[in-house]
Amino acid sequence: VQLQASGGGLVQAGGSLSLSCQVAGNIRSIGDMGWYRQFPGMQRELVAGISEDGSTNYADAVRGRFTISRDSAKNTVYLQMSSLKSEDTAVYFCNAVIQSTGGVWPRNYWGQGTQVTVSS
């Protein structure tokens, strides 16, 4: 099982950027999915999460500016970011709880990080 994230880059403050993360491999089911970010020298923090039934939750810092969504048919989770601020600059990681076909229990999987840089 692999999570492949894409869409990071450089954007000016006030601009928008979209991230996507596709799950590939021998998958039986995907549960909660989410996006985290990590600032230099800090632990990863939750940005937004989405459950299997589509319920969402957001960090206070991004609520109203970021939108998380998922496409179950494509095994993909998205993060639409708008009104970006310099303090949103971080490495963003996707996350998913996945039951693989060869696994006994669902497991937490991480994608590779993608850098988002917002210039002021």
Side-chain angles (χ1 to χ4, degrees):
V1 176
Q2 289 185 328
L3 276 65
Q4 183 65 45
S6 61
L10 174 65
V11 64
Q12 288 189 330
S16 299
L17 205 59
S18 293
L19 305 180
S20 64
C21 177
Q22 185 171 34
V23 180
N26 297 321
I27 303 159
R28 179 172 294 167
S29 63
I30 303 175
D32 294 345
M33 306 181 83
W35 288 94
Y36 289 70
R37 64 187 180 187
Q38 188 168 21
F39 303 110
M42 305 288 284
Q43 291 190 336
R44 290 179 195 180
E45 62 180 39
L46 177 68
V47 175
I50 185 166
S51 66
E52 198 169 356
D53 67 3
S55 300
T56 59
N57 62 290
Y58 296 92
D60 288 343
V62 307
R63 187 175 293 112
R65 301 187 297 121
F66 291 11
T67 301
I68 189 171
S69 61
R70 64 191 286 172
D71 184 334
S72 296
K74 296 181 179 180
N75 292 335
T76 300
V77 62
Y78 305 94
L79 186 68
Q80 175 67 41
M81 303 180 289
S82 60
S83 301
L84 282 160
K85 307 175 182 179
S86 58
E87 51 263 44
D88 293 318
T89 295
V91 179
Y92 285 70
F93 297 87
C94 57
N95 172 271
V97 178
I98 298 170
Q99 173 71 66
S100 65
T101 55
V104 176
W105 304 106
R107 249 199 62 185
N108 212 19
Y109 288 85
W110 292 93
Q112 87 285 7
T114 184
Q115 178 71 45
V116 171
T117 303
V118 184
S119 63
S120 56

